[in-house]
Amino acid sequence: MKFQFDAQQPYQLDAIRATTELFTGQSAAAGRFEWQPDIFGGELLDRLGVANALGISDTRLLENLREIQQRNGIGGETPAAALVSDDILGARNFSVEMETGTGKTYVYLRTIYELHRLYGWAKFVIVVPSVAIREGVLNSLRTMREHFDALYDNTPLDSWVYDSAQASRLRQFAVSTHLQVLVMNIQAFVRDENVMRRESDRMQGRRPIEFIQQCAPVVIMDEPQNMESENARRAIAELNPIFTLRYSATHRNIHNLLYRLDPVRAYDLRLVKRIEVDSVVEGGDFNRAFVGLESVTASRTGLAAKLKIDVEQVSGTKRKPVTVRKNGADLYALSGQREIYRGFVVTEINAESGFVSFGNGVTLRVGEAQGGHTDAILRVQIEETIAEHFRKELALSTRADGERIKVLSLFFIDRVANYAAADGKIRQWFTEAYAKIAARTEFATLTALPVESVHNGYFARDTDGAAKDTKEGKSTKADDEAYRLIMQEKERLLSPDEPLRFIFSHSALREGWDNPNVFQICTLREGTSEIRKRQEIGRGLRLARLENGTRCDDPRVNRLTVIANESFADFARKLQTELEDECDVKFEGRIMDKRQRHTAKLNKAVYLDPDFAALWERISH
């Protein structure tokens, strides 16, 4: 399958226009200048080269910025009084905020072409914070190349990734008169010992970074909130950018904001999938919070019962001890307002008999615990994910337009061995559940593929080739191949003829990779590891693609189901809190509870009524 891109998405064009019009007043001729071979004493360059130049003042930039912000409803009634300046990067930093899944990478790549067309700028550096995001950028450059060639009359463009082993390629970047796009990890030039900063005999004793500096590149920062340290900002400043453009859904620091497409606006405009939560702990035996009673003591200061419960913290849900000393103590409050603990209000602490009673009828004696069905819950999550996957395949197999849509399900696991090992429990549970659910009568019309062909894992590997866990927040060389593999296979995974349907990954896949046809996301957590809700759902927010590569705009199709091992209320509250903290927007009422979904039945008496038929004839067009 080959992605087809729509060049007329209004919100993307608005974001591009906000950036290009920032430089109104700049002439194309002023955008490029040549330097002579003796600029470094004849040692650096052996022929003429081309660099970027900015021909308008900061005063004009501010005037343009104020006009753009007013048009885009940024800043309210008070226009910017001055360019916001960073103490290291200076004032020529500009931010674009776009919600995950709305085409941020498309926007900044097309902006490169537009800036080149309008102003002649030819040297661009894209800086990324991780291998995963870098691989995503490279994949976008590859898949969008034909689209951009058609839009921009086959404008010559060279794009490549900086590799310290091939630092001499920077000479070509510097001297080429064609459009140049260099992709770099911040880690490649943030430290003094990096090859980028060291003098090289192969480059006439010069440092590789000098070739970039002489180009005065436009620097594009992808996910700049992950590059806000002083060292990172100094490294970017040392690239000598003519200006920087910062693209993210979750900026930590806003620099001269040009355009904002926040989560609420993207959701309400149906630019991303609807979100629904299927909680496996609501109803049945799983509707029980974990509560363990460790001890009950009596002293001169009074009674004290030591409990162990699951407490919501900033870093995630942690199982930790809490002490209650009087009747009325509420585990709902002590747990960080986890909905599953509502009703656990202490009514009696009895040291003599060693028990604690709660207002919901639960009584625990010392050494007893309830809840905590970890393995049982994980198994139910897997079964529910497979069942929902089959239901989605069944629904999409009967589309009136006949276009096929591949359905993918994504599992996050916190221990690779539980899946990668031949006897891993998650692998075994999946195999058993797949066979059981595929045999259901409701799925009889679907052709169940062999279980060994429908699932696979994408993990970092050690020197012996064995799959291994990825350290939280770190990307190593061992991760590179895992990222490359899943990015290179992105289009293949979208083909209905490709049997792979269920993807297993370690939590490291949460950033930098997503696929438009992920319809189910299931996080299988054994312990206390926690993937932030926004990162979790971000892997499946993009609108689905049809088999022919075009985007599907049908809201009945674009529904992302999250199979959660917590209550709907807890999941929704956490996601809403994250969105409010990160984006300062209210997201209430936009997350659906799948358990509240009902089947709508056609009233044939109305449908067949002649008056209805006449009305339909009038309005159907």
Side-chain angles (χ1 to χ4, degrees):
M1 99 115 63
K2 181 188 294 185
F3 279 140
Q4 304 297 320
F5 298 97
D6 184 355
Q8 301 301 322
Q9 292 287 322
Y11 69 96
Q12 293 178 342
L13 295 177
D14 288 344
I16 295 166
R17 188 160 65 101
T19 303
T20 57
E21 292 187 357
L22 176 66
F23 306 101
T24 298
Q26 166 91 15
S27 68
R32 292 149 60 114
F33 67 87
E34 295 182 339
W35 68 77
Q36 300 299 322
D38 63 355
I39 198 165
F40 282 142
E43 295 178 353
L44 179 61
L45 300 171
D46 56 12
R47 63 184 179 86
L48 295 179
V50 176
N52 299 328
L54 186 62
I56 59 175
S57 66
D58 284 357
T59 300
R60 182 60 188 272
L61 282 174
L62 176 60
E63 292 174 359
N64 294 340
L65 174 67
R66 292 169 62 142
E67 184 176 328
I68 291 165
Q69 288 184 335
Q70 185 175 24
R71 183 178 72 224
N72 290 330
I74 297 170
E77 299 296 325
T78 306
L83 293 177
V84 176
S85 183
D86 181 270
D87 60 342
I88 295 174
L89 291 169
R92 294 176 183 173
N93 293 274
F94 305 94
S95 300
V96 174
E97 180 182 312
M98 295 185 69
E99 172 60 339
T100 300
T102 59
K104 163 176 63 72
T105 307
Y106 176 92
V107 165
Y108 72 65
L109 291 180
R110 185 165 172 184
T111 298
I112 288 174
Y113 279 92
E114 282 292 315
L115 292 175
H116 177 68
R117 180 181 68 85
L118 292 169
Y119 307 118
W121 291 320
K123 305 301 170 69
F124 294 82
V125 176
I126 300 172
V127 182
V128 300
S130 69
V131 173
I133 294 173
R134 183 194 72 196
E135 293 302 313
V137 174
L138 295 179
N139 185 70
S140 295
L141 281 164
R142 179 176 57 81
T143 58
M144 296 174 188
R145 183 61 180 268
E146 185 176 328
H147 172 75
F148 289 140
D149 282 349
L151 285 178
Y152 296 97
D153 298 325
N154 294 303
T155 296
L157 177 144
D158 295 326
S159 61
W160 52 288
V161 174
Y162 169 75
D163 182 348
S164 60
Q166 300 178 343
S168 59
R169 288 189 64 183
L170 289 173
R171 182 190 297 275
Q172 177 61 26
F173 176 83
V175 301
S176 175
T177 58
H178 294 157
L179 182 56
Q180 299 286 310
V181 176
L182 175 64
V183 184
M184 301 178 67
N185 285 69
I186 186 68
Q187 295 83 359
F189 63 101
V190 74
R191 296 187 297 272
D192 289 339
E193 61 267 25
N194 288 134
V195 172
M196 173 70 76
R197 295 168 172 271
R198 299 203 308 257
E199 294 180 0
S200 170
D201 292 338
R202 297 172 61 187
M203 306 181 81
Q204 293 83 45
R206 297 292 174 178
R207 298 177 301 144
I209 197 172
E210 293 179 37
F211 286 82
I212 298 177
Q213 292 170 339
Q214 288 300 313
C215 294
V218 175
V219 171
I220 292 174
M221 299 173 65
D222 192 330
E223 307 295 356
Q225 72 277 8
N226 297 323
M227 298 179 280
E228 292 284 12
S229 70
E230 181 176 336
N231 284 345
R233 288 182 293 130
R234 287 193 185 283
I236 291 169
E238 287 181 32
L239 296 178
N240 188 34
I242 189 174
F243 55 84
T244 63
L245 300 175
R246 310 159 68 92
Y247 290 82
S248 178
T250 55
H251 289 282
R252 185 186 305 172
N253 298 308
I254 298 291
H255 296 255
N256 303 306
L257 186 61
L258 297 171
Y259 179 80
R260 168 174 283 155
L261 179 62
D262 64 37
V264 170
R265 184 165 165 237
Y267 200 81
D268 291 347
L269 290 174
R270 298 188 180 275
L271 303 177
V272 293
K273 290 191 183 88
R274 307 287 89 188
I275 303 168
E276 65 176 12
V277 179
D278 184 6
S279 170
V280 303
V281 301
E282 298 204 346
D285 190 44
F286 297 122
N287 194 20
R288 298 197 297 170
F290 177 82
V291 184
L293 179 58
E294 297 187 340
S295 66
V296 180
T297 58
S299 67
R300 284 180 299 177
T301 58
L303 297 172
K306 186 176 181 181
L307 303 167
K308 186 163 283 188
I309 64 175
D310 294 333
V311 178
E312 183 66 27
Q313 298 179 311
V314 174
S315 59
T317 305
K318 308 288 185 183
R319 185 160 295 174
K320 59 182 297 184
V322 297
T323 300
V324 295
R325 302 180 183 278
K326 60 183 179 180
N327 292 346
D330 189 350
L331 297 193
Y332 170 71
L334 292 173
S335 70
Q337 299 183 339
R338 297 193 71 213
E339 194 67 25
I340 201 168
Y341 284 98
R342 193 179 289 279
F344 277 90
V345 178
V346 175
T347 57
E348 183 179 358
I349 303 174
N350 191 310
E352 183 179 355
S353 300
F355 70 82
V356 173
S357 295
F358 300 92
N360 57 3
V362 173
T363 297
L364 292 176
R365 297 189 178 279
V366 173
E368 290 183 342
Q370 75 145 44
H373 303 283
T374 303
D375 280 4
I377 290 176
L378 297 182
R379 294 190 73 156
V380 172
Q381 282 185 272
I382 292 171
E383 291 183 3
E384 286 297 318
T385 303
I386 296 171
E388 185 62 21
H389 181 106
F390 278 17
R391 292 187 195 105
K392 190 64 65 69
E393 282 197 345
L394 189 62
L396 296 182
S397 67
T398 58
R399 282 177 55 85
D401 59 13
E403 287 287 349
R404 295 189 299 173
I405 299 179
K406 175 72 170 290
V407 178
L408 294 172
S409 294
L410 177 60
F411 293 90
F412 290 110
I413 62 178
D414 57 2
R415 291 193 66 238
V416 169
N418 286 339
Y419 173 83
D423 60 348
K425 63 183 182 181
I426 288 176
R427 178 181 289 270
Q428 291 182 341
W429 293 341
F430 176 84
T431 301
E432 294 166 5
Y434 183 86
K436 181 174 72 173
I437 294 169
R440 289 183 184 178
T441 305
E442 63 180 301
F443 304 127
T445 58
L446 293 175
T447 302
L449 298 169
V451 65
E452 61 272 10
S453 68
V454 299
H455 65 104
N456 197 8
Y458 292 86
F459 311 113
R461 298 188 177 274
D462 61 22
T463 54
D464 295 324
K468 67 174 186 177
D469 295 338
T470 294
K471 292 183 179 180
E472 186 68 21
K474 295 183 179 179
S475 293
T476 66
K477 290 183 178 179
D479 298 303
D480 286 13
E481 286 306 314
Y483 294 134
R484 286 197 186 100
L485 183 60
I486 198 164
M487 291 309 304
Q488 290 169 359
E489 294 187 347
K490 190 171 183 177
E491 289 77 30
R492 182 177 68 83
L493 289 174
L494 287 171
S495 170
D497 296 325
E498 163 56 48
L500 181 58
R501 274 136 171 82
F502 299 91
I503 300 169
F504 289 82
S505 175
H506 196 260
S507 57
L509 189 58
R510 70 189 190 189
E511 291 182 349
W513 181 88
D514 46 37
N515 192 299
N517 286 28
V518 168
F519 288 98
Q520 288 74 230
I521 290 179
C522 177
T523 303
L524 302 173
R525 295 191 297 267
E526 280 192 297
T528 58
S529 65
E530 179 81 2
I531 296 178
R532 289 178 63 79
K533 304 306 175 191
R534 194 171 183 205
Q535 293 172 326
E536 180 178 314
I537 66 170
R539 302 315 103 214
L541 280 180
R542 292 186 184 276
L543 299 183
R545 294 271 176 172
L546 303 175
E547 183 182 15
N548 62 12
T550 59
R551 184 182 290 107
C552 175
D553 295 317
D554 188 342
R556 295 169 298 179
V557 171
N558 288 306
R559 187 186 299 266
L560 175 65
T561 304
V562 180
I563 293 82
N565 57 8
E566 57 193 323
S567 71
F568 167 78
D570 284 337
F571 186 98
R573 174 174 53 81
K574 292 174 188 175
L575 178 57
Q576 290 165 3
T577 300
E578 287 178 16
L579 287 166
E580 187 167 349
D581 290 345
E582 293 176 357
C583 306
D584 195 27
V585 294
K586 300 284 187 180
F587 205 72
E588 287 90 342
R590 292 175 172 83
I591 308 167
M592 297 175 286
D593 186 349
K594 180 178 177 294
R595 302 255 163 175
Q596 299 299 316
R597 191 194 295 179
H598 301 288
T599 301
K601 296 183 178 180
L602 177 65
N603 186 336
K604 291 187 176 180
V606 173
Y607 181 68
L608 299 175
D609 183 87
D611 290 338
F612 178 82
L615 173 63
W616 181 249
E617 182 64 27
R618 292 170 57 194
I619 68 171
S620 59
H621 65 278

